[in-house]
Amino acid sequence: MRAARLIKMVLLLQSRPSMTAAELAGELEVSERTVTRDAQALSEAGVPVYADRGRAGGYRLVGGYRTRLTGLARGEAEALFLSGVPGALREMGLEDAASAARLKVSAALLPSLRDASRTAAQRFHLDAPNWFTEPKAPELLPAVADAVWDDRRVTARYRSREAEVERELEPYGLVLKAGVWYVCARVVEGGSFRVYRIDRFTAVEASADRFVRDEEFDLPGFWEERAEQFARSILQAEVVVRLSEDGVRRLPYAVDPASAREALAVADEPDGDGWLTLTLPVESEKVAHSQLAGLGPEVEVLAPESLRARFAEDAIRLGRLYGT
């Protein structure tokens, strides 16, 4: 356990000019006192860890010290080769760079671990797009990706609902969600962060100017928050339904899973027939009709009356089709 922590500490110090004891303690999930002891142990083992004293002090490696990746276990090496998404790298124009990086990592590994890339590829493959969709990378994705990696401002034109709009953006990060590429960017005028679908860009021109990143920006956290906001924003209506036990089980697969879980969490106890009545947030009556129809006779719509009438009409038509 300690050996792995010491290796991680060396790699952290290799990747940054210096780190404070508090920063190292946070990354390693130990106390600052443990960081001090680990730094002393590394120094005694010949790793040139130097401690700068004072308020602006911290730990750093002296003389550009580097270590080879000989401390990796097989599971760690295989996990390293799983970290890339080949299709996404190819679409961003980074396939050659990723291939070169994998070769360099392989060369640095112990001979017994050099088959890690092959064994990982045989055991895991990520297919990001949804079923029944034809994946197509946006034409302007490489240009946006270059700007993201190089921290360059871009002037982008994109199609909105009303018209084509031009914005000056600071592109912070890319997200591939269900086969669709998005860029999370800060709008220069106003400073707000927004999310844009790259396939709606009609032109992208990179500036010669680089922007200074906000180090507090957390791409995974920002995306999770915006995705949740979007999912909630489209649920503009409510329906009251009555579900059988099988209907309750299948509900999260028919409608938005989060709204289904929330509705089930606050529902009353089942009635005498074992059916559960709940109020469900939905995008619209039309969407609810399409989604709930998949539950067949395991759901009864109680409200609104117009939606209940739709299902009554469906039942009559089905009865005619099947001769009952």
Side-chain angles (χ1 to χ4, degrees):
M1 181 70 177
R2 190 189 186 199
R5 190 175 70 241
L6 292 175
I7 292 171
K8 185 176 180 180
M9 183 174 179
V10 173
L11 294 175
L12 285 169
L13 293 174
Q14 277 187 191
S15 65
R16 308 180 195 180
S18 69
M19 295 183 69
T20 66
E23 289 172 337
L24 282 168
E27 291 281 358
L28 300 171
E29 298 181 352
V30 296
S31 67
E32 293 187 30
R33 181 174 298 180
T34 298
V35 168
T36 301
R37 288 199 297 264
D38 286 352
Q40 181 65 32
L42 287 170
S43 181
E44 292 172 355
V47 179
V49 178
Y50 182 78
D52 292 314
R53 307 295 180 185
R55 291 182 60 187
Y59 293 92
R60 59 186 175 87
L61 294 175
V62 179
Y65 176 86
R66 309 292 294 177
T67 183
R68 290 166 63 86
L69 294 174
T70 52
L72 288 178
R74 169 164 293 278
E76 295 169 331
E78 290 173 345
L80 179 64
F81 285 103
L82 289 178
S83 62
V85 183
L89 292 171
R90 183 172 57 252
E91 291 175 4
M92 288 188 289
L94 297 175
E95 186 175 28
D96 290 343
S99 177
R102 285 193 292 270
L103 286 173
K104 291 178 180 178
V105 172
S106 294
L109 291 172
L110 292 171
S112 61
L113 299 179
R114 288 179 185 166
D115 65 341
S117 62
R118 181 180 60 83
T119 58
Q122 288 175 341
R123 289 164 172 80
F124 180 82
H125 174 70
L126 176 62
D127 186 8
N130 277 334
W131 286 103
F132 313 118
T133 58
E134 186 67 30
K136 183 179 179 181
E139 182 179 345
L140 295 173
L141 174 61
V144 178
D146 285 345
V148 169
W149 293 117
D150 211 21
D151 292 341
R152 290 193 182 275
R153 288 183 175 178
V154 299
T155 300
R157 295 187 64 83
Y158 71 96
R159 298 185 302 274
S160 69
R161 291 180 179 177
E162 294 80 18
E164 195 169 83
V165 182
E166 184 173 286
R167 291 281 187 272
E168 189 176 5
L169 305 173
E170 295 176 349
Y172 268 62
L174 297 168
V175 175
L176 176 60
K177 170 72 171 178
V180 180
W181 283 96
Y182 299 86
V183 61
C184 301
R186 179 160 58 186
V187 182
V188 173
E189 184 179 350
S192 61
F193 282 94
R194 297 184 184 179
V195 176
Y196 298 90
R197 277 185 61 147
I198 297 179
D199 60 5
R200 292 181 181 168
F201 284 171
T202 59
V204 173
E205 183 178 351
S207 167
D209 299 329
R210 287 187 169 90
F211 63 90
V212 178
R213 281 179 169 266
D214 180 355
E215 295 300 328
E216 298 297 319
F217 179 79
D218 172 28
L219 179 60
F222 173 78
W223 175 260
E224 182 179 2
E225 179 184 341
R226 289 304 172 92
E228 184 177 349
Q229 288 176 359
F230 172 76
R232 291 182 178 278
S233 69
I234 63 174
L235 301 178
Q236 299 289 334
E238 288 185 343
V239 298
V240 181
V241 295
R242 186 168 169 263
L243 296 157
S244 69
E245 184 176 346
D246 188 45
V248 169
R249 182 182 59 80
R250 291 164 52 188
L251 184 65
Y253 303 99
V255 301
D256 176 66
S259 62
R261 287 193 299 269
E262 291 178 9
L264 290 168
V266 297
D268 294 331
E269 293 296 317
D271 59 24
D273 296 325
W275 286 52
L276 192 70
T277 299
L278 53 84
T279 301
L280 184 69
V282 294
E283 183 175 344
S284 67
E285 184 175 312
K286 181 178 179 181
V287 172
H289 178 244
S290 174
Q291 292 175 332
L292 294 174
L295 298 179
E298 308 305 323
V299 62
E300 178 189 2
V301 174
L302 302 179
E305 187 59 38
S306 54
L307 181 58
R308 182 177 174 85
R310 287 194 186 201
F311 277 91
E313 177 62 24
D314 289 346
I316 293 171
R317 292 175 62 193
L318 285 170
R320 290 172 183 162
L321 284 175
Y322 290 99
T324 59

